[in-house]
Amino acid sequence: MANEQMKPIATFLLLLNFCMYVIVLGIGAWAVNRAIDHCFIIGSELKLPAHFSPLFFPMGNAATGFFVTFALLAGVVGAASTLSGINHIRSWTAESLPSAASVATIAWSLTLLAMGFACKEIELHIRNAHLRTLEAFLIILSATQLFYIAAIHGVAAYIS
């Protein structure tokens, strides 16, 4: 590719994003496990509550279920996009760029969606420290994933 000096920056961002996506997966998995352990127990004689949601989470607020679900989705796709990114950085050719860029863009889109639910959760106020950490990681990831996409495209060559 034309812009070889972007390769170390892209490598750093790829590794940073991978580590952050793994942390998002860990915190999201904890939240799902806690929701499963502390969810509604409905017996044969009991009825569902009036505002029952299958995405009920005992911690947080009304946006928590959607937030954690999309955070897990973004984490899985983001961590998996690392495979294509590693292949692209190893070869650093125009032929490997489209697959790496497309998977990274899909991961970024899902990260933005999860970040939107994080913003809604911040607006509703009730959440614990784990959820605040997950929100922070997704907000940071939305920027670093965009920078990674720009780096693999070699944006510095077009700016200068």
Side-chain angles (χ1 to χ4, degrees), residues 40-52:
F40 290 121
I41 299 174
I42 306 295
S44 59
E45 69 281 348
L46 299 175
K47 294 185 178 188
L48 287 174
H51 298 287
F52 175 74

Side-chain angles (χ1 to χ4, degrees), residues 24-34 68 72:
V24 164
L25 283 173
I27 297 172
W30 167 84
V32 169
N33 185 44
R34 179 147 175 180
V68 171
L72 282 171

Side-chain angles (χ1 to χ4, degrees), residues 129-160:
H130 294 291
L131 294 175
R132 278 192 225 112
T133 304
L134 189 58
E135 293 161 1
F137 271 97
L138 283 167
I139 291 168
I140 294 167
L141 267 169
S142 65
T144 59
Q145 186 71 10
L146 178 63
F147 294 149
Y148 167 71
I149 293 169
I152 63 174
H153 278 91
V155 170
Y158 299 113
I159 294 173
S160 56

Side-chain angles (χ1 to χ4, degrees), residues 84-122:
S84 181
I86 289 171
N87 181 44
H88 174 61
I89 287 176
R90 278 184 41 233
S91 62
W92 202 253
T93 62
E95 289 81 25
S96 64
L97 175 64
S99 64
S102 62
V103 177
T105 303
I106 291 169
W108 179 61
S109 301
L110 288 170
T111 304
L112 286 179
L113 185 60
M115 188 199 69
F117 284 116
C119 292
K120 184 63 177 177
E121 183 156 311
I122 290 169

Side-chain angles (χ1 to χ4, degrees), residues 10-24:
T11 304
F12 170 73
L13 287 170
L14 180 70
L15 294 176
L16 175 70
N17 288 346
F18 175 73
C19 293
M20 290 179 71
Y21 277 124
V22 169
I23 292 170
V24 164

